[in-house]
Amino acid sequence: MLYSPSNDSIHPNNNNIDDDDVTVAESSTRRQLLFSLLASTITTSTTAMIGLKPLVAQAKVALVQEEQVVVATAATASTSVANAFQNASGGKLIIPPLDTRSYEVFTMSNGLKVILCSDTSSNTASAAMNVHVGAASDPDSVPGLAHFNEHMLFLGTRKYPETNSFENFLSANGGSSNAFTDSENTVYYFDMAADDDAKLRQGLDRFGSFFSCPLFTESSTLKELNAIESEHAKNLQSDIFRLYQIEKSRANSQHPYSKFYTGNKATLLENTKRYKIDLRTELIKFWSTYYSADQMAIAVVAPQPIALLKDMVVSALEDVPVNGDRLGIKPEEDWVEKIPPFFPGGLGGSVIPARNSWVQVVPVADIRQLILTWPIVYESVQDKECQFLNKPAYYVSHLLGHEGPASLLSYLKKQGWANGVGASTDADLSDFYTLQMSVQLTQKGLEHVEDVVEAIFSSIRMLREDPWPRYILDEVLQISELEWRFLTPGSPGQYSQSLSQNMLRYPQSLVIAGPRRLALRVSENEWIDSNKPRVGFTSEAQFQDNLKSTLDFASKLTVDNCLFTVVSKSFDGKTDKVEKWYGTKYGVKPLGVGVRNQWLNCRPAHDFGIYFPQPNKFIPDERGLVVKKPVKAIDNINTALTLEERLKPTTPPSLIRNDERWTVYFKQDDKFGEPKAYAVFELLTKDAFSSPRKAALASLYQVSANDRLQEYAYDASLTGLTYDINVLPRGVRLTFGGYNDKLLDFAAYVSKKLSQEVTTLLPDSQEEFERYRDELRRAYAAFDVQQPYSHAIYYTNLLLQPKSFQYTNAEMRVALENVSLEDLTDYVVKIWDSGKVEALLQGNIDEKEALQFVDVIDRTLRFDTMPSKDLPPHLEALQVPLVGPESNPMKISSAEPNSSNKNAAVQVTFQCLDPSEKAHVVVEVLSSIIAEKFYEDLRTKQQLGYIVSCGVKAVSSSRLLSFVVQSSVAPVERLNAEILKFVNNAKNACLDPLSDAEIQAVARALVLKKTDPDKKLASEATRNWNEIATGRLQFDRRQKEAKTLLNITKKDVLEYWDEIVLGIKGGRRMLVSEVIPKSGDASSRTPAKSYKADNKLGIDDVDRYRMDREQKLVTTS
């Protein structure tokens, strides 16, 4: 596949508090080091394999905008590769056609670049600051300093000295913050409620003080080292970090890309002490050197007018200093064109050999992967500009990662060598980037890995030597422009991050269009200046320019310019080296003359049946892109709304068919103005998921069907047409979405294959069946190497759901090994026998077309009607036993299955069974109040671990308030004690001091979040489907809860805490899930697999507990 950074799909189980499948928001991503490693590993969770995954996947989209005022800025002239585009300034900001928001771009007097976006329809404000320095600029003596500096900016400034001042302010105003450190950039961002101008001004002022007057106190410096160490401990068992460091170790060791970016206590404390380096002094020196206003760009997206936003931003950032000694000098100028990043020859070496070598890596998870990485070094300013504007890597990735007939993947699958192929750009620095190909190998493919590589180079040879069909480039551009044409606004937080980063990458006219459009160069010295969507290249000269740059790019994908990596558990015990920072076992094997010659002289691709793809028949034509119901100005998603208007429910779907066979809801789009539609059909049946055996067969069916439909559906997916099949606890769900031009024909074909011609989607042979089983086997086994906090949450979830809604990982693994190809065939031919369908059709279709759609699917599925009494029930949460406030709660203890992971984890959960809107919103208010206090206590002050979180989860009509901590330094006994200590003291410390006005401020921030209008058709369709699938049918639930929030008082909050959390009146429903590592500072006694106590469970007691709870559920219902 061609990896795309975003999608526009409907997700019935997306993670927000409006849905039953909400997960606790973990702080593991609070201040994390962001890496862009392409990870096409098998990481499918057990829940995903049983159907709790997004409805529709892979529909591509990007974040958006339009055109407005641009204030020209001065830029530093340079002829180096590091400063490509810096001669370009001014020009009209190019914004997608559907965006009507206002923009301004300007440069402050201190050189800080600013882009403002006034989004009057939003309730939320977001800001992101991109500082153009990253981990590549770490001093050689202090690896991880840039990352550590990122952490420290959150811990107090001269203007706001309290350690968690910013986080507490945001928590009180419905906001949050985060940051990440990349190779050459560090991005800080926050969001908050935007209804109060004074509060937003203060938020920006607090944020701005990060960059004008951070404190770097001695006490915080020493404490935060523990957080860095905990973060590193969390990453030690991550294959993404491990493989990334292996790749970096193959770079020139003199080049900064080879550095260890995250840092740990050894690099930041022990080594600095050893070499008599004062860490705080180094921090201040790093900040003073690189955190210069002329190397920064901020993006602010908020509902306030541009003039007001401009005043706020200038006031907040005018004191950001400029380092006059480095004015106009970018950090990368220290190495660009001075130090080659790879294959240095006589100018250096690499820790791990790069050229003409296999690196064989032992992973943590049972993944089997071939990775080919080509460093693409910019040859000149002109070359870099061409790469940015024409994006030749995109065309090449499109072809190498193609999944249609006669593709590389098609050939590899026919040989039984691969399950998947991906191609994408990866590492991205000022002097080079990489193209990476990843092949998910079968066991047979691992044995033929040299032949797999030959097929790849044969495909590349085809790209270099065979004439390209004209339609290849035309179609890729056409599809890209189709996305551009119908882009709609997305999340303000994501958008501000994107803008801030691109402000320092592209000319200001291309800050939005640059990363989102292809073929931006019109001629050698001119680029596109219009937002008008194109249906093809503007001229033959432009087409030839793009073809030439693409062929030039393909010519760089040679054997001698490639890093070869193979990842497999089978290498364990056969390697002789260990990577320094993560302890990854690996070995190096020379290519051998014969193998190298085989690849250099690879056979023509046609010998393998590999050809250029045929024309894409799914690209919609102009007649199919007509919006059937024009959107009124007052209903436009970019229209500003008052609070009263926000509290009015949107038009709900209407019931257009309701009989013993079908229940169909329909809504014609009257808001988004996109020629798209979504159709969801769920055949309700008890039999599809009634046992672990059937659940395992369901997973095999899904894998097999998706694999067999891949060649047909891939071209459709490129144009935004998507499908998904999920076998769920209540039946089988089919979902279709995309441009409605060809949606019905696409859905009819896929439905017919899945139901009438089902045997064509099953394995042809035992060998193919075993390939699918192996894929699932390794997916289930990946459970063992998930983080301990994920294991704690997993066991909590098991104890809250009836057995028929989630089987254990162990049950699924056993069941998978005890089914056959014959069993799969018998299962699949019966799965569509009988039931009743619930459906939603929403988008650019009218009622007549919706009913026609239903009739087509009805004739295709051909199911018998099931009596209503036999339909499966909706999910109802199992009730946690009620215990007194002084009694021991229900606890499940489990041993961490990964013996190499030395982290302990605890989740403490309080269950509320009250289904009222008031109970549902009060717990959200509570979580908003105490989450940051909990983080500040256990993470910032006590430094118990990097992952510290408090959040709300919904299971059916119940609500759960959960506290999660993962630690490499404290055992579960300490974690349990500290969580309960916080809970017991929270009323006096966090709640009692608050006034009614402060409670109302928190509630109002939640109101603004709940009533923020949907920005995408997919988002609204997702919400509507969730109401249908859960049987609630409360399409106005967000507005009802918002109205309830407006009346929440301090008394309500305190009463809820007393009743649900402390259990003062009638006891509390409290559940503890703890995971104990086998070794390390956080280890303690090994838990038993079974306990005889009523309130203590081991993993073998889960079934007994669930049966008991289900019986009580039946008794009380």
Side-chain angles (χ1 to χ4, degrees), residues 339-413:
I339 305 172
F342 287 88
F343 315 124
L347 298 176
S350 56
V351 174
I352 300 175
R355 198 188 298 273
N356 296 326
S357 300
W358 290 105
V359 173
Q360 299 174 330
V361 180
V362 180
V364 175
D366 190 5
I367 57 179
R368 208 181 290 124
Q369 195 168 9
L370 167 67
I371 304 170
L372 274 63
T373 305
W374 290 274
I376 309 298
V377 180
Y378 299 119
E379 298 173 358
S380 63
V381 172
Q382 292 74 23
D383 177 44
K384 185 171 184 177
E385 289 188 1
C386 177
Q387 302 269 3
F388 271 56
L389 296 172
N390 285 356
K391 300 181 178 65
Y394 192 89
Y395 298 100
V396 171
S397 298
H398 166 72
L399 293 174
L400 292 179
H402 206 279
E403 299 177 5
S407 64
L408 169 65
L409 178 59
S410 179
Y411 166 73
L412 295 177
K413 282 187 173 181

Side-chain angles (χ1 to χ4, degrees), residues 608-630:
F608 302 110
I610 299 172
Y611 296 89
F612 284 101
Q614 293 297 304
N616 191 334
K617 64 182 180 181
F618 292 103
I619 297 176
D621 59 37
E622 197 61 33
R623 291 171 300 176
L625 295 174
V626 175
V627 175
K628 293 180 169 56
K629 188 175 184 179

Side-chain angles (χ1 to χ4, degrees), residues 829-1117:
V829 296
K830 296 175 183 176
I831 198 173
W832 304 97
D833 278 355
S834 62
K836 177 181 180 177
V837 176
E838 290 182 338
L840 169 68
L841 294 96
Q842 182 170 346
N844 189 42
I845 54 176
D846 57 34
E847 183 173 334
K848 180 180 178 182
E849 290 170 319
L851 289 171
Q852 179 189 0
F853 207 133
V854 169
D855 287 342
V856 170
I857 300 301
D858 194 15
R859 291 193 303 269
T860 301
L861 297 185
R862 298 178 179 176
F863 59 91
D864 292 331
T865 303
M866 178 180 287
S868 58
K869 64 181 180 62
D870 294 330
L871 295 177
H874 289 287
L875 170 65
E876 189 171 353
L878 299 180
Q879 298 180 7
V880 177
L882 196 64
V883 296
E886 302 301 324
S887 302
N888 290 327
M890 181 60 63
K891 179 189 290 186
I892 181 167
S893 300
S894 61
E896 168 54 35
N898 180 2
S899 60
S900 297
N901 196 314
K902 299 180 180 181
N903 290 278
V906 171
Q907 180 183 32
V908 176
T909 300
F910 298 91
Q911 184 185 48
C912 175
L913 299 177
D914 186 344
S916 69
E917 288 156 1
K918 182 176 180 179
H920 288 177
V921 299
V922 170
V923 70
E924 293 182 54
V925 173
L926 272 170
S927 177
S928 297
I929 293 170
I930 66 174
E932 190 54 43
K933 300 292 185 182
F934 180 64
Y935 179 87
E936 180 180 5
D937 185 356
L938 275 71
R939 160 70 161 75
T940 305
K941 292 180 179 178
Q942 297 192 53
Q943 292 291 321
L944 290 180
Y946 180 71
I947 296 174
V948 175
S949 169
C950 168
V952 179
K953 176 185 171 70
V955 178
S956 186
S957 60
S958 71
R959 290 297 182 269
L960 309 166
L961 180 64
S962 292
F963 300 83
V964 176
V965 182
Q966 178 171 299
S967 176
S968 61
V969 297
V972 295
E973 292 81 3
R974 169 90 188 277
L975 301 182
N976 267 313
E978 294 299 339
I979 292 173
L980 291 180
K981 180 180 177 182
F982 174 85
V983 167
N984 290 332
N985 295 335
K987 183 178 179 181
N988 293 331
C990 306
L991 303 178
D992 276 338
L994 297 177
S995 65
D996 264 315
E998 288 170 313
I999 297 287
Q1000 261 301 301
V1002 174
R1004 185 174 177 84
L1006 288 171
V1007 168
L1008 294 177
K1009 281 188 176 181
K1010 285 183 179 292
T1011 59
D1012 209 15
D1014 293 309
K1015 300 294 187 182
K1016 296 179 182 295
L1017 173 62
S1019 300
E1020 187 179 291
T1022 292
R1023 285 194 303 100
N1024 288 334
W1025 174 252
N1026 281 334
E1027 295 298 330
I1028 295 166
T1030 58
R1032 295 173 306 209
L1033 302 177
Q1034 295 176 339
F1035 298 109
D1036 60 347
R1037 186 157 54 92
R1038 290 193 307 169
Q1039 286 75 21
K1040 285 183 176 178
E1041 290 184 349
K1043 289 178 180 178
T1044 304
L1045 275 165
L1046 292 174
N1047 297 309
I1048 295 301
T1049 66
K1050 178 178 178 179
K1051 180 173 178 287
D1052 296 325
V1053 171
L1054 294 177
E1055 286 180 351
Y1056 186 102
W1057 189 264
D1058 285 345
E1059 180 182 350
I1060 303 301
V1061 179
L1062 298 182
I1064 291 174
K1065 294 182 178 179
R1068 56 186 176 183
R1069 301 184 186 277
M1070 177 177 168
L1071 176 62
V1072 177
S1073 177
E1074 58 183 25
V1075 178
I1076 301 168
K1078 295 181 174 68
S1079 62
D1081 294 340
S1083 64
S1084 52
R1085 80 276 183 259
T1086 301
K1089 290 189 175 183
S1090 179
Y1091 293 89
K1092 302 302 181 184
D1094 290 337
N1095 61 349
K1096 186 72 179 288
L1097 304 173
I1099 60 175
D1100 288 350
D1101 298 322
V1102 169
D1103 273 358
R1104 171 178 57 81
Y1105 172 87
R1106 294 169 92 182
M1107 289 174 63
D1108 176 69
R1109 292 287 97 192
E1110 285 185 53
Q1111 185 59 43
K1112 286 182 169 55
L1113 197 62
V1114 172
T1115 303
T1116 56
S1117 60

Side-chain angles (χ1 to χ4, degrees), residues 337-504:
E337 297 180 329
K338 299 173 183 176
I339 305 172
F342 287 88
F343 315 124
L347 298 176
S350 56
V351 174
I352 300 175
R355 198 188 298 273
N356 296 326
S357 300
W358 290 105
V359 173
Q360 299 174 330
V361 180
V362 180
V364 175
D366 190 5
I367 57 179
R368 208 181 290 124
Q369 195 168 9
L370 167 67
I371 304 170
L372 274 63
T373 305
W374 290 274
I376 309 298
V377 180
Y378 299 119
E379 298 173 358
S380 63
V381 172
Q382 292 74 23
D383 177 44
K384 185 171 184 177
E385 289 188 1
C386 177
Q387 302 269 3
F388 271 56
L389 296 172
N390 285 356
K391 300 181 178 65
Y394 192 89
Y395 298 100
V396 171
S397 298
H398 166 72
L399 293 174
L400 292 179
H402 206 279
E403 299 177 5
S407 64
L408 169 65
L409 178 59
S410 179
Y411 166 73
L412 295 177
K413 282 187 173 181
K414 287 174 182 175
Q415 304 305 308
W417 294 345
N419 292 319
V421 169
S424 176
T425 55
D426 185 20
D428 185 7
L429 279 76
S430 292
D431 51 345
F432 80 97
Y433 67 104
T434 61
L435 180 78
Q436 190 169 89
M437 278 204 71
S438 176
V439 182
Q440 295 176 22
L441 297 170
T442 64
Q443 181 59 43
K444 187 177 179 182
L446 183 63
E447 296 164 1
H448 289 82
V449 68
E450 294 172 358
D451 298 317
V452 174
V453 175
E454 182 186 11
I456 292 172
F457 280 111
S458 292
S459 299
I460 294 170
R461 177 183 172 183
M462 179 182 73
L463 303 188
R464 289 200 301 259
E465 298 179 0
D466 290 9
W468 283 47
R470 172 76 184 230
Y471 61 79
I472 297 290
L473 269 67
D474 285 338
E475 286 184 353
V476 172
L477 178 62
Q478 188 177 353
I479 292 170
S480 172
E481 289 294 288
L482 192 64
E483 293 176 354
W484 170 260
R485 176 178 175 180
F486 294 108
L487 285 178
T488 52
S491 156
Q494 291 179 334
Y495 190 51
S496 64
Q497 293 175 56
S498 169
L499 291 175
S500 70
Q501 293 176 77
N502 290 315
M503 282 283 286
L504 299 182

Side-chain angles (χ1 to χ4, degrees), residues 660 682-691 727-733 802 804-805 807 831 834-838 864-876 1028-1031:
E660 60 182 7
E682 185 162 344
L683 177 67
L684 304 178
T685 175
K686 283 184 175 180
D687 296 332
F689 204 79
S690 58
S691 67
V727 182
L728 302 163
R730 300 189 68 234
V732 189
R733 179 188 293 157
S804 61
F805 278 82
Y807 300 109
I831 198 173
S834 62
K836 177 181 180 177
V837 176
E838 290 182 338
D864 292 331
T865 303
M866 178 180 287
S868 58
K869 64 181 180 62
D870 294 330
L871 295 177
H874 289 287
L875 170 65
E876 189 171 353
I1028 295 166
T1030 58

